mmCIF file of all heavy atoms in Angstrom:
data_model
loop_
_atom_site.group_PDB
_atom_site.id
_atom_site.type_symbol
_atom_site.label_atom_id
_atom_site.label_comp_id
_atom_site.label_asym_id
_atom_site.label_seq_id
_atom_site.Cartn_x
_atom_site.Cartn_y
_atom_site.Cartn_z
ATOM 1 N N LEU A 5 17.908 138.375 -90.369
ATOM 2 C CA LEU A 5 17.036 139.024 -91.361
ATOM 3 C C LEU A 5 16.435 140.276 -90.731
ATOM 4 O O LEU A 5 15.856 140.214 -89.644
ATOM 5 C CB LEU A 5 15.912 138.054 -91.767
ATOM 6 C CG LEU A 5 14.792 138.658 -92.631
ATOM 7 C CD1 LEU A 5 15.326 139.094 -94.005
ATOM 8 C CD2 LEU A 5 13.641 137.657 -92.816
ATOM 9 N N ILE A 6 16.593 141.386 -91.424
ATOM 10 C CA ILE A 6 15.913 142.621 -91.018
ATOM 11 C C ILE A 6 14.890 142.919 -92.107
ATOM 12 O O ILE A 6 15.254 143.179 -93.262
ATOM 13 C CB ILE A 6 16.902 143.808 -90.892
ATOM 14 C CG1 ILE A 6 18.095 143.455 -89.981
ATOM 15 C CG2 ILE A 6 16.169 145.048 -90.376
ATOM 16 C CD1 ILE A 6 17.759 143.161 -88.541
ATOM 17 N N ALA A 7 13.620 142.851 -91.741
ATOM 18 C CA ALA A 7 12.559 143.031 -92.735
ATOM 19 C C ALA A 7 11.703 144.236 -92.355
ATOM 20 O O ALA A 7 11.282 144.370 -91.207
ATOM 21 C CB ALA A 7 11.686 141.771 -92.803
ATOM 22 N N GLY A 8 11.470 145.102 -93.320
ATOM 23 C CA GLY A 8 10.647 146.289 -93.093
ATOM 24 C C GLY A 8 9.222 146.040 -93.569
ATOM 25 O O GLY A 8 9.008 145.721 -94.736
ATOM 26 N N ASN A 9 8.278 146.155 -92.643
ATOM 27 C CA ASN A 9 6.860 146.027 -92.993
ATOM 28 C C ASN A 9 6.292 147.442 -93.133
ATOM 29 O O ASN A 9 6.048 148.110 -92.136
ATOM 30 C CB ASN A 9 6.130 145.259 -91.885
ATOM 31 C CG ASN A 9 4.623 145.255 -92.086
ATOM 32 O OD1 ASN A 9 4.131 145.569 -93.173
ATOM 33 N ND2 ASN A 9 3.890 144.901 -91.045
ATOM 34 N N TRP A 10 6.106 147.846 -94.368
ATOM 35 C CA TRP A 10 5.654 149.228 -94.597
ATOM 36 C C TRP A 10 4.174 149.421 -94.316
ATOM 37 O O TRP A 10 3.672 150.539 -94.324
ATOM 38 C CB TRP A 10 5.952 149.638 -96.045
ATOM 39 C CG TRP A 10 7.407 149.839 -96.350
ATOM 40 C CD1 TRP A 10 8.474 149.616 -95.528
ATOM 41 C CD2 TRP A 10 7.957 150.323 -97.588
ATOM 42 N NE1 TRP A 10 9.645 149.928 -96.179
ATOM 43 C CE2 TRP A 10 9.356 150.363 -97.436
ATOM 44 C CE3 TRP A 10 7.400 150.717 -98.801
ATOM 45 C CZ2 TRP A 10 10.209 150.792 -98.463
ATOM 46 C CZ3 TRP A 10 8.232 151.137 -99.830
ATOM 47 C CH2 TRP A 10 9.634 151.172 -99.645
ATOM 48 N N LYS A 11 3.454 148.330 -94.123
ATOM 49 C CA LYS A 11 1.994 148.409 -93.918
ATOM 50 C C LYS A 11 1.354 149.211 -95.059
ATOM 51 O O LYS A 11 1.846 149.159 -96.181
ATOM 52 C CB LYS A 11 1.672 149.002 -92.551
ATOM 53 C CG LYS A 11 2.500 148.373 -91.426
ATOM 54 C CD LYS A 11 1.944 148.657 -90.081
ATOM 55 C CE LYS A 11 2.924 148.181 -89.027
ATOM 56 N NZ LYS A 11 2.322 147.941 -87.751
ATOM 57 N N MET A 12 0.282 149.978 -94.771
ATOM 58 C CA MET A 12 -0.392 150.706 -95.858
ATOM 59 C C MET A 12 0.214 152.104 -95.997
ATOM 60 O O MET A 12 -0.457 153.120 -95.808
ATOM 61 C CB MET A 12 -1.901 150.777 -95.602
ATOM 62 C CG MET A 12 -2.707 151.121 -96.846
ATOM 63 S SD MET A 12 -4.486 150.943 -96.601
ATOM 64 C CE MET A 12 -4.852 152.317 -95.522
ATOM 65 N N HIS A 13 1.515 152.124 -96.303
ATOM 66 C CA HIS A 13 2.233 153.372 -96.491
ATOM 67 C C HIS A 13 3.029 153.304 -97.791
ATOM 68 O O HIS A 13 3.502 152.233 -98.161
ATOM 69 C CB HIS A 13 3.228 153.615 -95.348
ATOM 70 C CG HIS A 13 2.576 153.842 -94.020
ATOM 71 N ND1 HIS A 13 1.939 155.015 -93.668
ATOM 72 C CD2 HIS A 13 2.442 153.016 -92.962
ATOM 73 C CE1 HIS A 13 1.464 154.910 -92.441
ATOM 74 N NE2 HIS A 13 1.749 153.705 -91.995
ATOM 75 N N ASN A 14 3.175 154.423 -98.414
ATOM 76 C CA ASN A 14 4.054 154.637 -99.564
ATOM 77 C C ASN A 14 3.437 154.249 -100.915
ATOM 78 O O ASN A 14 3.304 153.081 -101.258
ATOM 79 C CB ASN A 14 5.412 153.930 -99.393
ATOM 80 C CG ASN A 14 6.166 154.452 -98.183
ATOM 81 O OD1 ASN A 14 6.055 155.638 -97.847
ATOM 82 N ND2 ASN A 14 6.903 153.600 -97.513
ATOM 83 N N THR A 15 3.095 155.281 -101.657
ATOM 84 C CA THR A 15 2.677 155.114 -103.056
ATOM 85 C C THR A 15 3.892 154.629 -103.848
ATOM 86 O O THR A 15 5.020 154.610 -103.324
ATOM 87 C CB THR A 15 2.242 156.462 -103.634
ATOM 88 O OG1 THR A 15 3.400 157.337 -103.614
ATOM 89 C CG2 THR A 15 1.101 157.091 -102.836
ATOM 90 N N ALA A 16 3.677 154.321 -105.107
ATOM 91 C CA ALA A 16 4.799 153.875 -105.941
ATOM 92 C C ALA A 16 5.855 154.986 -106.043
ATOM 93 O O ALA A 16 7.063 154.724 -105.968
ATOM 94 C CB ALA A 16 4.292 153.470 -107.321
ATOM 95 N N ALA A 17 5.395 156.235 -106.183
ATOM 96 C CA ALA A 17 6.351 157.347 -106.303
ATOM 97 C C ALA A 17 7.177 157.478 -105.011
ATOM 98 O O ALA A 17 8.401 157.617 -105.041
ATOM 99 C CB ALA A 17 5.612 158.646 -106.599
#
Side-chain angles (χ1 to χ4, degrees):
L5 171 65
I6 307 297
N9 172 15
W10 289 5
K11 313 196 188 202
M12 198 171 71
H13 294 285
N14 299 327
T15 63

